[in-house]
Amino acid sequence: MGLFKGLFDNEKKELKKFNIIAAQIDSLSLEYSKMSDNKLKAKTEEFKKRLNNNETLDDIIVEAFATIREAALRVLGEKPYYVQLLGGLAIHYGNIAEMKTGEGKTLTSIMPAYLNALEEKGVHVITVNDYLAERDANWMGNIFKFLGLTVGINHRELSPQEKQEQYNADITYTTNNELGFDYLRDNMVVKKEDRVQSRGLNFAIVDEVDSVLIDEARTPLIISGGSMKSANLYITTDKFAKTLTKDKDCITDEQYSAITLNEEGVRKAESYFKLNNLYDVNNTVLVHHLNQALRANFMMKSDIDYVVQEDKIIIVDPFTGRLMHGRAYSEGLHQAIEAKEGVTINEETSTLATITFQNLFRMYNKLSGMTGTAKTEEEEFRNIYNMYVIQIPTNKDVIREDLSDLVYSNKEGKYNAIVNSIKERNKTGQPILIGTIAIETSELISDKLRKAGIKHEILNAKNHAREADIIALAGVKNSVTIATNMAGRGTDIKLGDGVKELGGLCIIGTERHESRRIDNQLRGRSGRQGDPGISQFFVSLEDDLMMRFGSDKIKGMVETLGLKGDQAIRSGIFTGGIEKAQKRVEGANFDMRKQVLEYDDVMNKQREIMYDRRNQILDSESIHDTVINTIKEYIESLVMGHIKGKYIEEEEKKAILNNVNENLFIGTINDLKKLKGDNESEIIENLSNYVLKIYEDKISVLPDNIKNEFEKAISLRVIDTHWMEHINTMAHLKEGIGLRGYAQTHPLQAYTIEGFELFDNMMNVIRQNITIFLIRSNVEINIERKEINEGKIYTNDNDSSSHKKKPKVTGNKTGRNNPCPCGSGKKFKQCCGK
C-alpha cells in the first residue's frame, strides 16, 4: 500500500507542476496567434541559439510548446487542447502519459518531440507497425517541416545509406523492431561508415508504450544465420509426438504452457528410438527436439498462435491479432511447428546477435511514452524503466456505460447469447464492434451471424489488407464489425450521423483477455471525446482464462445456480473474480518478463564490453597500440598458465617455449631457449619483446593504410567469430540451467557465475587467436574486412544482408593444416590457402 500511495502522491505532485506550466503556455495563445508565419518559423532558430548560449530546455519549454501549438493550428487546423499540453509535458519529463482513446495522443507527441529536437541530438518516435510510422510522419511531419525541422521515416527496405539519412533527421519515425535490428546490425558492421545510428540513442517517445515495453518484452530480438541441418530430426520427432496422447503420456502445466514426457512417455520414446536411456548425456539433442515437438503438437494451436499461409508458418501476435511476418519462434519451436503442419522446414540457424527490448530502450538518455492503458502495469514500468504513469484528464467526461460481465456455463451458450444480443441491437441500427482474442473465434462468430442473416465485416490477421476501410465504417448506422485485438491499436472509430441518438458504439467482448489492458483498449474504442457508448463482455467457464486461472469459488457458484445453455448471471462479484484471475496471469507474465531481463542483464554486461571493443576498432585511425597490448596479454596469460610455483622450473620453461613455437611458428625451441629469465616477470618481458620484434619486423615494410587494415580485419574477424559462438554457448547454458534448482543451486546465480567464466575464457581465446593470426598470416595488398555471417543474415523481421568476399589473408605453409583465419571452420589449405 505504501508503494501505491507513493505513486499516487508523485502523480498528483507532477500534475500540479504540469498545470502551472500548461497555464503559462495557454496564456501565450493570443500573442502567438498574431505572429506572421515567418516570425513563427523564425522561433526555431531563435531557440537553437538560446540553447547554444547555455540556456536549457526548461528555459524555453513554455515558448516552444506555444510555438508548435500555434503551428499545428495553421498546418492541420487542429490546436492541442489544454489536457494535451499536460500530456506533452508528462512525456517531455520522461513519464508515460496515459490518455484515453480519442484524446489525441499523436497530436500530443508533437510538442515534446519539437522541444527535444531543438537540441539537435535526435528524437525517435516509435510506433508498433510500419503503417502507423508512415501515417504519423506524413501527418504530423508537416508541422515540423513548417517550423524548419527535418523528418525521417525508417523503413525496413531502405539501404544503409538511406537509413543514415532518416536517422540523421531531427525527428525520426520508426517501429520498435526496426530500431532494434538496426542497433544490432550496427554492432556487426566492419566499417564505421556502414553504421546507420551515428548519433546514438538520445530521446524516445514510444507510442502504445505498454504494447512495446510490456507485451513484446518477453521475446528478444535475434539476428541469426548459418544452417544447422536438423530438418530430418524435426520430422522424426514430430512423427513420434503424433503417436502420443497428451493426457496419458505427458505432464502439462497449462498456466506456463509447459509440457514434458511422463514415465510412460519416456518408455515409449526409448522403445521408438531404440535407446536404453533417453536422458543419457549423448541424447541431449534428441531430447531438445522431442520437447519442441511436444510443444508444437499439444500446446501451439493453429489460427490462434499461428496461421499456415503459402507453405509458411506465420506467428499471430497474441496481443493485437496481427500476423508477424518474418518473425520466428526461437530454439527450434518454429521448425517443430513446420514439421507438425507439413510445410517446408526452414533450417534452424545460429544466433549472431540478440538483445531484449528492455535493455535496448534503457540505453536511451531519456525514455517516455504514451498509451491509453498503462496504469495496471505501473510497478513494472517504474522498476524496469524508471518511468511513472501519469493519468491525463480527458477533455470531456467519459459517459460510456461499462456493464458487468455476463457469465455462462459453456461456450456454446455464450456464443448463442452473443448472436441474440447482436440481433436485438442491430434492429435499432446501433453500430456494434465485436472483439475477439483469436482468429478462430472471429470466424466462428462470423459463421453464426451469416447463418442468422446479419450482414457484417470481419477484420483479423487473414483479412488485414482492408483494415483502414473496415474501421472507418465501424461507427456508422447498422454496421456490425468483428475484429481481433488488432482493432485496438492506432485506430479511431468515429460515429456516423444519428448514432449518438442510438446510444453510440456498442462494444461486445466475446471473452476476457489475460491482460486487463487489452480489455480496456477494446472498451476504449467507444465513448471517445464525450460520445455515448456501451460495453459488455460475455464470459464462459470454458474460456481459456477461466479454465487456467478461474477460481473454484466462481465455478462453484455457477454450478450451484444450475445455469444452462444461454442462461447467464451478471454480478459485480463475478466480474471482480474474473479480474482477480487476470491479475494472476499478469503477475505470472511479469515474472516471465523479469526472468528474461535478469538473464539478459548478464549478457548485456558482456554485450557492452564486446560492442565497445568493436567500436574502438572501427573508430580508431590505428589500433596498432591495442594489438601490441593484446600480444603482450596473450604472452602473459600463456606464461602464467604454465607456472605452478614462485620460481620457474626448467620443465615449465620448456612447456612455455613449446607452446609458443607450436602456435606462432616463430623459431625453434633452441632459439627460444636463449631467452633469459628465472622469474615470471622476466620471462614475460623477454618473451614479449622477442615476439613483438618478429611481428614489427614483419609489418614494417607495409604502408600504414595496409597495416591498419590488416590489424583491423584480423581483430574484427576473430572477435565476431568467438562472440557468435559465445552467444550460442550462453543460450545452451541458459536452456539447462533451470535444472540446477534441484541441486539446491540458484539457477540465475549459477548462470551469472558460469557465464562470466565462459566470457573470460572467450576473451583469452580471442587474445590468443588474434596473436596467432597476426603472427602467422601473410598480407596481400587487397585485404578486405568481412562480416561474420556466411551467406545471408536472417532476422526475425525477414531482413537479409549480402555475403561479402573472403578477406585475402594467407598463412605460412607450416600452418596449412590449421584452421583457416577467415573463420570458415575448414583447414587453411582447403579454404583461403587454395
Side-chain angles (χ1 to χ4, degrees):
M1 289 301 296
L3 169 67
F4 289 112
K5 186 176 184 299
L7 293 174
F8 178 76
D9 288 345
N10 177 75
E11 182 177 18
K12 191 176 178 182
K13 179 180 160 188
E14 290 294 285
L15 274 174
K16 185 177 180 181
K17 179 177 80 172
F18 300 157
N19 270 293
I20 294 171
I21 302 172
Q24 293 173 338
I25 298 167
D26 202 37
S27 69
L28 294 178
S29 184
L30 181 60
E31 177 187 340
Y32 278 58
S33 68
K34 295 177 180 178
M35 285 185 185
S36 67
D37 283 358
N38 288 337
K39 191 171 181 181
L40 195 66
K41 292 176 182 179
K43 281 287 183 181
T44 297
E45 285 306 313
E46 176 195 323
F47 295 143
K48 288 181 180 180
K49 287 177 182 176
R50 287 168 62 181
L51 290 172
N52 288 332
N53 290 329
N54 297 321
E55 286 195 53
T56 67
L57 293 180
D58 281 351
D59 293 327
I60 65 170
I61 189 170
V62 172
E63 296 163 83
F65 269 49
T67 298
I68 193 161
R69 190 187 191 198
E70 178 62 28
L73 179 62
R74 298 187 189 188
V75 175
L76 296 183
E78 297 181 21
K79 184 177 182 179
Y81 298 123
Y82 182 87
V83 292
Q84 289 173 305
L85 296 179
L86 297 178
L89 291 166
I91 291 169
H92 165 67
Y93 285 107
N95 302 294
I96 294 171
E98 183 181 272
M99 302 176 69
K100 301 301 180 187
T101 299
E103 291 296 304
K105 291 186 289 293
T106 307
L107 188 62
T108 298
S109 68
I110 66 169
M111 293 176 283
Y114 173 72
L115 173 65
N116 285 269
L118 297 171
E119 287 190 308
E120 300 184 286
K121 296 177 182 177
V123 173
H124 296 164
V125 182
I126 296 153
T127 66
V128 291
N129 60 54
D130 289 321
Y131 164 75
L132 291 176
E134 183 154 6
R135 183 201 72 176
D136 293 352
N138 291 328
W139 183 19
M140 298 297 148
N142 291 322
I143 306 173
F144 299 126
K145 291 172 185 175
F146 174 82
L147 291 173
L149 297 182
T150 56
V151 178
I153 311 175
N154 180 32
H155 288 302
R156 182 168 59 191
E157 62 272 11
L158 298 179
S159 68
Q161 185 177 2
E162 290 169 329
K163 278 180 171 286
Q164 286 172 4
E165 293 174 5
Q166 306 311 311
Y167 276 113
N168 286 334
D170 294 312
I171 298 163
T172 304
Y173 285 82
T174 181
T175 65
N176 52 307
N177 282 333
E178 198 57 26
L179 175 83
F181 286 123
D182 284 339
Y183 170 77
L184 291 176
R185 283 189 289 259
D186 272 1
N187 286 285
M188 294 172 67
V189 299
V190 292
K191 293 184 179 177
K192 65 179 180 181
E193 54 267 28
D194 291 336
R195 288 188 299 220
V196 300
Q197 296 175 344
S198 58
R199 291 192 294 189
L201 303 175
N202 177 46
F203 175 49
I205 302 173
V206 185
D207 191 12
E208 307 297 357
V209 66
D210 53 326
S211 176
V212 174
L213 298 186
I214 301 290
D215 297 338
E216 297 200 33
R218 281 185 285 180
T219 307
L221 294 171
I222 298 171
I223 292 182
S224 57
S227 174
M228 295 172 71
K229 307 294 182 187
S230 53
N232 289 337
L233 194 49
Y234 283 109
I235 293 171
T236 304
T237 50
D238 178 72
K239 287 179 179 177
F240 169 69
K242 284 182 166 66
T243 68
L244 301 176
T245 304
K246 181 179 179 182
D247 296 333
K248 292 181 180 179
D249 302 312
C250 304
I251 302 169
T252 60
D253 184 343
E254 297 288 348
Q255 182 170 336
Y256 291 98
S257 299
I259 185 167
T260 187
L261 293 173
N262 61 18
E263 286 188 28
E264 179 63 17
V266 170
R267 187 192 63 75
K268 288 181 178 180
E270 289 172 346
S271 173
Y272 189 92
F273 293 102
K274 297 179 174 57
L275 301 171
N276 292 325
N277 180 6
L278 176 63
Y279 292 100
D280 185 277
V281 68
N282 295 319
N283 299 327
T284 52
V285 174
L286 174 63
V287 171
H288 169 74
H289 284 72
L290 271 177
N291 288 337
Q292 299 298 43
L294 294 176
R295 285 188 66 194
N297 279 276
F298 298 123
M299 308 303 283
M300 308 301 291
K301 299 174 184 175
S302 179
D303 283 350
I304 295 176
D305 300 301
Y306 63 89
V307 297
V308 182
Q309 279 188 3
E310 299 176 353
D311 196 41
K312 291 180 181 177
I313 299 298
I314 304 174
I315 299 173
V316 175
D317 187 327
F319 296 98
T320 66
R322 297 180 189 274
L323 292 185
M324 302 171 76
H325 289 279
R327 296 288 290 271
Y329 293 113
S330 60
E331 299 178 355
L333 178 59
H334 206 86
Q335 288 73 17
I337 296 172
E338 288 171 333
K340 166 192 173 183
E341 298 292 348
V343 302
T344 301
I345 297 176
N346 293 291
E347 290 289 358
E348 197 177 353
T349 54
S350 299
T351 299
L352 302 179
T354 179
I355 193 171
T356 60
F357 279 125
Q358 290 107 316
N359 275 321
L360 173 69
F361 282 101
R362 291 196 302 184
M363 282 189 250
Y364 275 94
N365 297 328
K366 184 165 69 174
L367 179 63
S368 65
M370 52 189 183
T371 183
T373 48
K375 203 65 179 178
T376 56
E377 313 291 349
E378 179 162 27
E379 183 184 357
E380 184 168 350
F381 281 120
R382 182 70 184 139
N383 290 342
I384 305 299
Y385 303 103
N386 196 31
M387 290 192 292
Y388 284 102
V389 177
I390 308 294
Q391 289 182 307
I392 306 300
T394 54
N395 187 47
K396 295 180 181 179
D397 291 339
V398 177
I399 60 172
R400 181 187 66 245
E401 186 180 6
D402 295 326
L403 301 177
S404 296
D405 296 356
L406 286 169
V407 182
Y408 298 80
S409 61
N410 57 63
K411 282 186 177 181
E412 186 60 30
K414 179 185 74 171
Y415 292 141
N416 290 334
I418 289 172
V419 173
N420 289 332
S421 177
I422 293 169
K423 274 184 185 177
E424 293 303 312
R425 291 187 179 276
N426 187 238
K427 287 177 185 177
T428 70
Q430 184 178 22
I432 304 165
L433 175 66
I434 304 112
T436 68
I437 289 176
I439 298 170
E440 181 183 52
T441 309
S442 68
E443 292 180 342
L444 186 150
I445 297 291
S446 176
D447 185 56
K448 286 182 175 291
L449 290 180
R450 197 178 300 112
K451 289 176 180 176
I454 299 174
K455 186 179 178 183
H456 62 280
E457 288 279 7
I458 182 169
L459 174 60
N460 60 33
K462 291 182 175 180
N463 182 33
H464 65 90
R466 294 179 52 238
E467 178 176 354
D469 295 334
I470 293 172
I471 289 298
L473 298 173
V476 302
K477 273 186 180 180
N478 298 306
S479 68
V480 177
T481 309
I482 305 170
T484 50
N485 294 324
M486 64 197 308
R489 290 292 187 186
T491 55
D492 195 7
I493 301 174
K494 295 183 179 179
L495 301 184
D497 293 336
V499 170
K500 288 183 180 180
E501 291 74 16
L502 297 174
L505 178 65
C506 173
I507 300 293
I508 290 179
T510 58
E511 63 187 287
R512 286 285 203 138
H513 195 275
E514 64 180 34
S515 169
R516 287 171 293 165
R517 287 180 298 106
I518 308 300
D519 291 342
N520 290 338
Q521 287 161 19
L522 179 61
R523 278 197 173 111
R525 307 324 302 164
S526 175
R528 60 181 294 279
Q529 285 293 330
D531 287 341
I534 190 169
S535 71
Q536 173 72 73
F537 278 86
F538 292 72
V539 179
S540 90
L541 296 185
E542 293 179 350
D543 293 347
D544 286 347
L545 177 71
M546 299 306 294
M547 294 280 285
R548 291 167 61 190
F549 294 96
S551 70
D552 293 334
K553 183 179 178 182
I554 292 179
K555 294 173 184 175
M557 289 175 69
V558 171
E559 289 170 2
T560 301
L561 292 169
L563 297 181
K564 295 179 181 178
D566 57 2
Q567 292 179 323
I569 185 168
R570 175 187 281 141
S571 167
I573 296 174
F574 286 99
T575 299
I578 292 166
E579 289 188 352
K580 283 182 181 177
Q582 290 176 307
K583 287 179 182 178
R584 290 175 63 192
V585 186
E586 289 166 359
N589 288 339
F590 179 28
D591 290 341
M592 290 171 63
R593 290 189 293 269
K594 188 177 178 183
Q595 186 180 59
V596 168
L597 179 60
E598 286 173 340
Y599 279 91
D600 192 61
D601 278 343
V602 177
M603 276 297 293
N604 199 50
K605 291 181 177 69
Q606 301 177 10
R607 187 187 296 118
E608 288 174 358
I609 294 170
M610 297 307 294
Y611 286 177
D612 282 346
R613 183 160 181 181
R614 286 189 98 262
N615 289 332
Q616 286 173 7
I617 293 172
L618 294 177
D619 295 332
S620 300
E621 190 68 29
S622 168
I623 62 165
H624 186 64
D625 291 342
T626 304
V627 163
I628 297 303
N629 287 332
T630 298
I631 294 174
K632 287 180 179 179
E633 288 170 358
Y634 164 62
I635 297 297
E636 181 179 357
S637 64
L638 188 153
V639 172
M640 298 302 293
H642 285 83
I643 297 175
K644 297 175 183 176
K646 187 174 181 180
Y647 297 100
I648 302 179
E649 303 293 336
E650 198 63 30
E651 285 300 314
E652 292 173 342
K653 187 184 291 187
K654 184 176 180 180
I656 292 169
L657 300 176
N658 267 323
N659 192 302
V660 171
N661 183 51
E662 288 171 4
N663 281 314
L664 303 181
F665 305 141
I666 57 176
T668 66
I669 291 176
N670 290 332
D671 291 335
L672 293 176
K673 267 193 170 181
K674 294 175 183 176
L675 293 175
K676 296 178 181 179
D678 294 320
N679 59 54
E680 58 196 46
S681 59
E682 290 178 350
I683 287 289
I684 290 170
E685 183 179 359
N686 291 332
L687 192 52
S688 295
N689 290 338
Y690 186 94
V691 173
L692 287 171
K693 184 178 186 307
I694 292 173
Y695 178 64
E696 294 285 11
D697 288 345
K698 168 186 171 177
I699 63 171
S700 62
V701 297
L702 298 173
D704 285 346
N705 64 321
I706 299 299
K707 178 178 72 175
N708 292 339
E709 191 64 23
F710 169 67
E711 291 178 338
K712 288 186 176 185
I714 291 290
S715 299
L716 285 171
R717 186 63 187 180
V718 171
I719 288 170
D720 288 349
T721 298
H722 290 286
W723 174 238
M724 184 194 76
E725 291 173 355
H726 180 72
I727 290 172
N728 286 285
T729 301
M730 291 291 285
H732 291 140
L733 174 64
K734 180 182 173 184
E735 189 175 350
I737 205 74
L739 298 174
R740 305 294 177 86
Y742 294 112
Q744 306 303 310
T745 302
H746 193 282
L748 179 60
Q749 191 176 44
Y751 178 78
T752 303
I753 293 169
E754 293 180 33
F756 275 100
E757 287 176 358
L758 288 169
F759 185 74
D760 285 341
N761 291 337
M762 177 197 67
M763 296 299 284
N764 287 331
V765 172
I766 285 175
R767 282 191 288 268
Q768 174 183 329
N769 283 355
I770 287 177
T771 302
I772 289 172
F773 290 150
L774 287 173
I775 298 291
R776 281 165 43 179
S777 300
N778 291 331
V779 190
E780 294 185 7
I781 300 302
N782 59 344
I783 187 171
E784 183 183 1
R785 300 181 212 173
K786 182 195 176 191
E787 288 184 8
I788 187 64
N789 56 300
E790 292 291 341
K792 294 181 178 179
I793 290 180
Y794 295 96
T795 71
N796 56 352
D797 72 337
N798 206 30
D799 189 31
S800 62
S801 178
S802 300
H803 173 57
K804 296 185 178 181
K805 295 179 181 178
K806 291 180 179 177
K808 295 290 185 177
V809 181
T810 60
N812 298 325
K813 288 186 177 180
T814 48
R816 292 178 63 76
N817 286 316
N818 286 287
C820 184
C822 78
S824 65
K826 299 177 182 178
K827 291 182 179 180
F828 171 72
K829 66 181 181 181
Q830 297 169 333
C831 191
C832 295
K834 284 185 177 181

